[in-house]
Amino acid sequence: MTDENHMRRALALAALAGGRTSPNPMVGCVITRDGGVIGEGYHRRAGEPHAEILALRAAGEQAAGADVYVTLEPCSHSGRTPPCCDALIAAGVRRVVCAMIDPNPLVSGRGASRLRAAGVTVETGLLAAEAARLNEAFIKAITQGLPFVLYKCAMTMDGKISASSGDARWVTGPRARRYAHELRNHHDAVMVGSGTLRQDDPALTCRLPGGRDPVRLVVDGGLSVRGEAKVLASGSPGSLCVLAASARAPAGRLAALRARPGVEVWHYADAEHVPLPDLMRDVARRGWNSVLLEGGGELAGHMLAAGLIDKAEFFIAPKFIGGTGPSPLAGLDLGQMADAVPLGALSAEFVGPDLKISAYVNGNVN
């Protein structure tokens, strides 16, 4: 087995914790001796042992003189858990191979320096691009104070996200709809606007076996949400619905909704409309690294215009609907083709009969 093989295994382990570690990154670790694996681990959720600690526990005394493959530079500071660097040094490992240095500007490079000072060989950069892609949400949150936003949309081949009547059930087939729930399972929050709430009354939960419900984030400046809306009552025990309101929200509605269990109202009282950049900063401050934007076209257009969308995944169904149904970016109107928002790193695949096209916005690729 080569160094690359072991690092790919570490990356695969890290990915098992998708959607579970925020505000921390996903990290995997493999420990080898004489080419054979003697310990593995991955960080399962914030507050629990880090990947290196679990791998060291599995390796036991064999860790002395071993090689360690870890997807992110071992931490050198104490948070909810002790520094991993100290544990690796105490175990007597010989070499640590890191895919990438920790992007946190407060700690970047310090872990590697501490290991080297203790006589441990440290190598960095192996499969760095793959590691950065795995933790793109963490990287954006820690370096920019904003969550990574993925806009997921289903549309017909003639560009409609619903019929003229508003009916959108269903644009795509079962496999694409299941994938949408996989996205909810792997994102910290799922976000919609008040228009989608009125039209579709979505629950915004993850309906996969063993899945977990994301935070349900609704941009509803005037707090027009109905008291019986599914989004207010859905979700597993302990899950949360956040309503983002503006100065247009009536005081009575604010008080009534704040009194409901499992509901928070974030009130931007100085703005006529919810200030989306401020909202996204508050999401990141709360420790939610990733947001799945599901609709509708008005909100998505405003988010894109504000430079808050990092990636888009569009499902194109092989059907026409015609009419005057809404577009995926109804809230965006740039006027000139020269002003169009560029996309990069495009990829495409079929999910059942539907074509999924993925792209990063403005070249926002780690």
Side-chain angles (χ1 to χ4, degrees):
M1 296 285 283
T2 66
D3 284 354
E4 182 173 326
N5 293 142
H6 293 312
M7 187 62 77
R8 289 199 182 279
R9 173 59 181 167
L11 288 166
L13 288 168
L16 294 175
R20 304 300 191 274
T21 62
S22 289
N24 294 348
M26 292 176 280
V27 181
C29 180
V30 173
I31 301 179
T32 70
R33 190 180 184 89
D34 299 325
V37 175
I38 59 173
E40 294 184 339
Y42 67 95
H43 183 45
R44 296 174 182 270
R45 54 179 49 85
E48 294 193 5
H50 288 188
E52 299 95 318
I53 303 304
L54 293 173
L56 284 171
R57 289 177 184 173
E61 294 182 356
Q62 295 183 79
D67 294 335
V68 178
Y69 301 84
V70 62
T71 58
L72 186 69
E73 175 188 15
C75 62
S76 59
H77 62 291
S78 295
R80 297 187 191 180
T81 59
C84 291
C85 280
D86 293 353
L88 291 167
I89 293 168
V93 303
R94 179 183 74 90
R95 182 173 68 127
V96 173
V97 182
C98 315
M100 61 179 291
I101 295 296
D102 192 331
N104 186 342
L106 297 177
V107 300
S108 180
R110 294 181 182 177
S113 295
R114 183 181 294 190
L115 288 167
R116 289 187 176 111
V120 179
T121 299
V122 178
E123 302 171 11
T124 63
L126 179 63
L127 300 183
E130 290 88 338
R133 181 67 59 85
L134 175 72
N135 275 311
E136 58 192 359
F138 167 75
I139 292 171
K140 185 179 182 188
I142 202 68
T143 60
Q144 300 182 39
L146 291 167
F148 186 94
V149 179
L150 169 65
Y151 177 35
K152 188 273 297 181
C153 178
M155 57 187 284
T156 61
M157 208 163 79
D158 56 335
K160 307 298 184 183
I161 60 176
S162 75
S164 302
S165 65
D167 175 46
R169 296 186 178 181
W170 296 104
V171 176
T172 53
R175 285 184 58 185
R177 297 200 297 273
R178 178 182 172 83
Y179 177 79
H181 286 279
E182 292 174 359
L183 289 176
R184 290 182 183 180
N185 184 41
H186 284 85
H187 281 75
D188 297 322
V190 56
M191 180 180 179
V192 300
S194 57
T196 296
L197 212 61
R198 288 191 299 271
Q199 182 65 45
D200 300 337
D201 190 23
L204 301 182
T205 54
C206 174
R207 293 188 282 280
L208 296 179
R212 68 107 178 83
D213 293 328
V215 173
R216 304 177 301 285
L217 177 61
V218 180
V219 180
D220 185 10
L223 288 182
S224 61
V225 57
R226 296 179 295 109
E228 64 273 20
K230 294 176 183 176
V231 75
L232 298 178
S234 61
S236 54
S239 64
L240 182 64
C241 176
V242 174
L243 303 173
S246 69
R248 295 182 288 115
R253 292 289 290 157
L254 273 169
L257 287 165
R258 280 176 167 163
R260 294 188 61 147
V263 175
E264 290 185 10
V265 180
W266 295 1
H267 190 205
Y268 299 89
D270 297 330
E272 185 70 13
H273 300 282
V274 174
L276 296 174
D278 291 347
L279 174 61
M280 290 297 98
R281 280 189 285 270
D282 288 339
V283 165
R285 290 190 191 103
R286 193 61 176 267
W288 302 328
N289 291 346
S290 60
V291 173
L292 173 63
L293 175 60
E294 288 199 355
E298 286 288 339
L299 176 59
H302 295 315
M303 286 282 288
L304 187 61
L308 297 171
I309 295 179
D310 298 281
K311 187 179 181 182
E313 289 192 347
F314 277 38
F315 287 84
I316 302 175
K319 59 182 70 170
F320 293 134
I321 190 65
T324 58
S327 79
L329 292 167
L332 181 71
D333 186 2
L334 297 179
Q336 300 294 322
M337 190 59 69
D339 297 328
V341 177
L343 303 175
L346 272 72
S347 62
E349 64 177 306
F350 280 100
V351 180
D354 305 305
L355 178 63
K356 183 184 73 152
I357 299 180
S358 302
Y360 285 80
V361 178
N362 290 316
N364 289 339
V365 183
N366 289 313

